[in-house]
Amino acid sequence: MPYGYHGKVLHVHLSEMRFEIEEPKEAFYRKYMGGSAMGAYYLLKHTPADADALSPENTLTLAAGVVTGAPISGQSRLAAVAKSPQTGGIGDSQSGGFFPAELKFAGFDAIVVHGKAETPVYLWIKDGMPELRPAEHLWGKDTGEVEDLLKAELDDEKVQILQTGIAGENGVHFSALISMANRANGRTGMGSVMASKNLKAVAVRGKKRPELANKKGLNEHARWGSQNFEDSDIYGMGLYGTAEVVGPQNEGGGLPTLNWSSGVFDGWEKISGEMMAETILKARDTCYACTVRCKRVVETEKVNPRFGGPEYETVATFGSYCGVDDLEAVAYANQLCSMYGMDTISCGATIAWAMDAFERGLLSAEDTDGLDLRFGNAEAMVAMVEKIACREGFGDLLARGSANAAEIIGRGTEDLVVATKKQEAPAHMPQVKRSLGLIYAVNAFGADHQSSEHDPSYKWYPERMAEIGLNDPQPADNINEEKVKFALITQRLYSALDSVGMCQFVFGPSWHLYGPNQLAEAMQLITGWDVTVDELLEVGERRLNMMRLFNAKAGFTRDDDKLPKKFYEALQGGPSDGVKLTEAELETAKDLYYAMSGWDVESGNPTEEKLKELGIR
């Protein structure tokens, strides 16, 4: 019996309504570690790159990591990987909560979903025994209703459920997978992929806990985290959630406001994590075995606590992006996204784009179903969230995302889109964190704030950076050769975290509770492997190359690694007034990045030599 994992991958062939259990060898797990890299492996193996993302040919992998289910903070993570209906390339999304650990306890390290069922079904796994059951009675129900129905049907309140919502059923391009009615695999449209297969939900329950190589040592490792938590830089996130960064972002001129026209928002205090804690916070929730407890649970007369509470990205996209300083409205928009199953980042950012177009007279009330879609109109913002989920009126257009909607509308609205590879940008501004611009451009599944470390950390955490070979701290506002190296190396580490299955709020290269060396130590204690930081970096590099390879097969080139026009326009107001990126600096940074990656500089894609080096060919 291996340590840390089961050695079993469940293949669900929906078209034939049958199962296949694969038992990969230990070398397979050591090579990919699970999670996102495992998902990329199965996507490359089973899905033609030119397949329609919503066709039966697309393969959806739900994968835990080799460490998932171990009693240590940060390990209950799930990667969802498939071709993305939003970007047309590889789709990748991460989530936490209790479903990932329970999937492991149910006896499997991953689920690979093939084909399409004739009618809606759900997958039920208990102690290694999979079963497909009818789900017509669940179709059209919100995530809270589905949770209640399935727990009653399975007669077990501790069942963990991952589901696609009504938005996924309706084909919203940025629909999410939801567990616990409030945890999301939010990005890249994985909800609509699952729904396109007529798979409504996956329910898991089990007692098959993987063996640990050194249980005593791991307990000591976990105890260190608990004892040092209050002295760590992650402590504030436990108290105030990720929205604790609203103030610092605004202070540095990096809080995206009015669809990225400014980096400062006058109403920032009203939507901050501190304000949330003082007013509408009901409880701090957690993921399996985690000491941080960063998940918000909020409640008002209108907002139901079962749907959680808004994270920083959500507070920004529905708040400052849209010029809305009404915290209850933001929390209710978040609730709607959890109920219907949508990515809050793309949803809020798409509405902000429409507001920007409305303000400039490029859209009219006739276009927006009579809604006065001006910045600051909280009521209109909330109404549009529901219209998008149900694909009603103007919401049907916005459900395609801002980039696709702009292509259809035209009229100059294309210049207002803030997205890369058609995925809306998260709430961290590359104008003030220069290397993020490079990562937003080159990242295989579009703009993502959790794919690399942010620029200020290089100077603030030199000891941690030295653990991954970065020894020349650079200012946040440049993008020289050393900063490109910083972007690439931290991208590889974050890529490894998404494959191993470790939370990037707990393990990482800088402000996190545990550093890179402690990550390698945890891996050793769980798996018994002599894992090093260098090996983890190689795992991360392999995943990045596999993702890039899939995109290359789908026709992506260097030309797709571009940034939106808004990033090249001067910001207005506050510390970042007048600040902008330039296309020349991005192109120079891309040259350096591709060369450092061992990729072809002209196409931006991996070379055969690099693929062979990493064992991908």
Side-chain angles (χ1 to χ4, degrees):
M1 172 70 76
Y3 291 117
Y5 59 97
H6 292 299
K8 291 185 177 181
V9 174
L10 177 65
H11 290 261
V12 183
H13 298 274
L14 290 172
S15 300
E16 297 89 31
M17 297 291 281
R18 67 177 178 87
F19 301 110
E20 172 191 355
I21 297 177
E22 179 188 4
E23 297 185 0
K25 295 180 179 179
E26 181 179 6
F28 175 85
Y29 285 91
R30 185 77 182 260
K31 182 174 182 178
Y32 299 108
M33 300 284 186
S36 183
M38 187 181 286
Y41 167 83
Y42 286 116
L43 189 67
L44 281 166
K45 183 175 182 179
H46 294 293
T47 301
D50 60 355
D52 187 309
L54 300 182
S55 74
E57 291 181 292
N58 199 2
T59 306
L60 172 64
T61 298
L62 307 171
V66 289
V67 299
T68 306
I72 187 172
S73 294
Q75 47 60 46
S76 188
R77 304 293 296 172
L78 181 80
V81 181
K83 184 172 182 179
S84 168
Q86 188 173 17
T87 70
I90 193 168
D92 181 281
S93 190
Q94 315 291 320
S95 70
F98 284 73
F99 180 90
E102 198 67 36
L103 169 62
K104 206 71 166 286
F105 303 156
F108 293 103
D109 304 308
I111 302 169
V112 185
V113 184
H114 309 261
K116 178 181 180 179
E118 287 189 12
T119 58
V121 296
Y122 74 91
L123 173 64
W124 165 228
I125 305 172
K126 184 173 183 181
D127 289 322
M129 299 299 293
E131 180 184 352
L132 287 168
R133 294 187 171 190
E136 288 95 336
H137 62 302
L138 305 176
W139 211 256
K141 300 286 195 301
D142 72 44
T143 57
E145 292 175 304
V146 171
E147 283 262 332
D148 293 341
L149 287 167
L150 280 180
K151 287 183 177 182
E153 185 172 314
L154 298 169
D155 195 24
D156 191 341
E157 282 297 313
K158 293 186 178 180
V159 166
Q160 292 298 320
I161 299 156
L162 181 76
Q163 59 176 299
T164 182
I166 292 170
E169 296 171 12
N170 291 335
V172 174
H173 285 208
F174 44 83
S175 55
L177 297 174
I178 303 290
S179 65
M180 302 176 70
N182 57 46
R183 312 302 171 91
N185 290 89
R187 310 237 69 192
T188 68
M190 297 296 97
S192 58
V193 173
M194 181 184 276
S196 74
K197 297 182 172 299
N198 271 336
L199 179 62
K200 177 61 178 176
V202 179
V204 292
R205 189 80 169 98
K207 299 179 181 178
K208 294 179 173 290
R209 299 182 182 238
E211 294 292 323
L212 304 175
N214 187 340
K215 187 174 182 180
K216 181 180 178 181
L218 188 66
N219 287 339
E220 292 175 357
H221 197 278
R223 193 176 302 115
W224 182 94
S226 297
Q227 292 171 344
N228 288 273
F229 172 53
E230 291 191 11
D231 295 324
S232 72
D233 282 356
I234 197 67
Y235 182 60
M237 192 174 291
L239 293 178
Y240 302 117
T242 56
E244 72 157 337
V245 304
V246 169
Q249 292 281 81
N250 191 77
E251 183 180 355
L255 179 63
T257 299
L258 306 182
N259 192 36
W260 291 76
S261 295
S262 176
V264 291
F265 181 45
D266 290 341
W268 72 268
E269 288 181 287
K270 296 180 181 180
I271 59 172
S272 66
E274 291 83 353
M275 181 61 70
M276 197 185 308
E278 292 171 11
T279 56
I280 67 175
L281 186 69
K282 177 182 175 67
R284 289 167 53 193
D285 203 356
T286 189
C287 299
Y288 175 77
C290 189
T291 194
V292 177
R293 303 186 69 86
C294 68
K295 179 62 180 173
R296 303 294 89 181
V297 178
V298 302
E299 183 176 27
T300 72
E301 289 186 8
K302 194 173 186 179
V303 179
N304 187 333
R306 81 171 302 175
F307 296 103
E311 304 291 341
Y312 164 67
E313 304 297 328
T314 308
V315 160
T317 52
F318 288 125
S320 60
Y321 279 38
C322 294
V324 171
D325 61 9
D326 182 336
L327 184 57
E328 184 178 40
V330 170
Y332 188 61
N334 176 77
Q335 173 175 312
L336 290 173
C337 286
S338 293
M339 288 174 61
Y340 287 113
M342 291 192 293
D343 173 30
T344 60
I345 298 176
S346 283
C347 187
T350 296
I351 294 171
W353 162 81
M355 286 180 160
D356 198 357
F358 192 93
E359 290 270 358
R360 296 169 188 255
L362 303 176
L363 290 175
S364 67
E366 185 178 347
D367 296 308
T368 64
D369 306 328
L371 286 176
D372 181 23
L373 213 56
R374 297 185 186 277
F375 287 128
N377 190 336
E379 184 178 348
M381 179 271 288
V382 169
M384 193 52 68
V385 175
E386 196 145 18
K387 289 172 78 69
I388 289 170
C390 298
R391 301 201 72 156
E392 294 178 352
F394 189 53
D396 180 62
L397 186 62
L398 297 192
R400 306 164 193 255
S402 57
N404 286 325
E407 286 181 3
I408 294 169
I409 294 172
R411 307 177 203 166
T413 60
E414 306 96 320
D415 292 341
L416 307 181
V417 171
V418 185
T420 68
K421 298 181 176 69
K422 296 190 175 183
Q423 175 159 266
E424 286 73 20
H428 295 268
M429 303 187 75
Q431 295 93 324
V432 296
K433 297 178 180 178
R434 230 60 176 181
S435 76
L436 280 186
L438 171 62
I439 297 300
Y440 283 4
V442 301
N443 195 50
F445 53 90
D448 183 64
H449 60 297
Q450 290 295 126
S451 287
S452 67
E453 190 50 74
H454 296 196
D455 299 60
S457 294
Y458 201 172
K459 291 192 71 174
W460 292 350
Y461 302 95
E463 293 179 0
R464 287 271 182 91
M465 290 297 159
E467 292 180 25
I468 52 175
L470 296 169
N471 298 290
D472 187 12
Q474 297 292 309
D477 60 353
N478 72 18
I479 185 66
N480 58 15
E481 184 172 356
E482 180 63 24
K483 185 67 76 64
V484 172
K485 177 183 175 184
F486 158 84
L488 176 59
I489 298 302
T490 62
Q491 186 188 26
R492 288 175 179 170
L493 184 61
Y494 274 66
S495 178
L497 288 165
D498 284 344
S499 300
V500 169
M502 287 293 203
C503 178
Q504 297 173 0
F505 293 164
V506 180
F507 287 88
S510 58
W511 45 271
H512 316 77
L513 180 58
Y514 294 100
N517 289 339
Q518 290 169 305
L519 171 63
E521 181 185 1
M523 293 287 298
Q524 295 163 10
L525 295 168
I526 293 168
T527 65
W529 298 335
D530 56 345
V531 177
T532 65
V533 172
D534 284 343
E535 181 180 353
L536 290 169
L537 289 172
E538 184 175 295
V539 169
E541 181 183 10
R542 183 175 295 111
R543 167 187 175 259
L544 294 175
N545 277 265
M546 287 193 294
M547 297 177 97
R548 196 77 183 193
L549 175 60
F550 183 85
N551 278 11
K553 290 175 177 288
F556 284 66
T557 68
R558 175 187 177 126
D559 291 340
D560 295 290
D561 293 345
K562 57 187 177 183
L563 295 175
K565 184 177 180 180
K566 276 233 170 186
F567 286 178
Y568 302 122
E569 296 174 353
L571 295 170
Q572 300 172 11
S576 56
D577 185 56
V579 175
K580 62 181 179 179
L581 301 181
T582 69
E583 293 188 61
E585 69 179 301
L586 174 66
E587 293 304 314
T588 298
K590 284 162 59 176
D591 285 346
L592 291 167
Y593 175 90
Y594 300 143
M596 290 180 188
S597 299
W599 297 352
D600 178 70
V601 175
E602 288 190 13
S603 69
N605 289 321
T607 61
E608 285 297 316
E609 182 181 8
K610 173 55 69 174
L611 294 173
K612 289 177 181 177
E613 175 190 322
L614 294 170
I616 298 170
R617 289 296 200 199

